Amino acid sequence: MGVDGCIFCRIVGGEIPAARVFEDEVCVAFDDLEPQAPVHILIIPREHADSLASATDVHKETLGHLMLAAVKIARDKGFADDGYRVVINTNSDGGQTVFHLHLHLLAGRQFVFPPG
Ligand code: 5GP
Ligand code: ZN
């Protein structure tokens, strides 16, 4: 299953290995291949969606679920109090390179705002 040629669908299906840190019936979370911080986790829905820009009302629960997965991982891994950043790069100007909706969960250092 999954969308042809989508690397994150292949990670969900186990065809491409990834260091999974959390998963449940809706989402899978795994370490980013090129971490931009000491903690850099990607949280993705099992069901393919191209990007946040393609989200509609039917994605409402999934989007909430992904956010709460970030909260849970941050608590479980012990960096919730120090803080973290959740990012959804969206389409070209947003810097999105993989077109399967995903949250970046970044932690372990001080982040600047606005980001570059
Ligand atoms: P985007 O630029 O679309 O917001 O984020 C895509 C992220 O996916 C990048 O941070 C990139 O390092 C990561 N990535 C791309 N391919 C793979 C892969 O095969 N495995 C893992 N673990 N991360 C990947
Ligand atoms: Zn996909």
Side-chain angles (χ1 to χ4, degrees):
M1 286 297 284
V3 167
D4 262 2
C6 175
I7 50 173
F8 285 180
C9 281
R10 295 180 69 192
I11 285 176
V12 170
E15 295 163 52
I16 295 178
R20 296 185 184 215
V21 297
F22 174 78
E23 63 185 299
D24 61 20
E25 69 284 4
V26 175
C27 71
V28 177
F30 53 91
D31 289 333
D32 196 291
L33 206 56
E34 293 180 44
Q36 303 301 314
V39 175
H40 189 170
I41 294 165
L42 300 173
I43 306 171
I44 72 174
R46 289 183 183 274
E47 196 163 316
H48 181 97
D50 288 345
S51 83
L52 186 63
S54 65
T56 66
D57 270 0
V58 304
H59 298 101
K60 214 180 257 185
E61 269 193 39
T62 301
L63 288 169
H65 194 101
L66 297 175
M67 294 291 276
L68 290 174
V71 172
K72 178 176 168 40
I73 293 166
R75 283 193 193 127
D76 289 352
K77 288 198 168 287
F79 57 77
D81 287 346
D82 284 343
Y84 53 94
R85 182 167 287 181
V86 174
V87 174
I88 305 180
N89 296 328
T90 303
N91 282 350
S92 177
D93 278 2
Q96 186 176 1
T97 60
V98 175
F99 284 81
H100 178 129
L101 174 66
H102 53 280
L103 272 67
H104 294 259
L105 173 59
L106 300 138
R109 68 172 169 85
Q110 182 72 56
F111 297 103
V112 294
F113 196 85

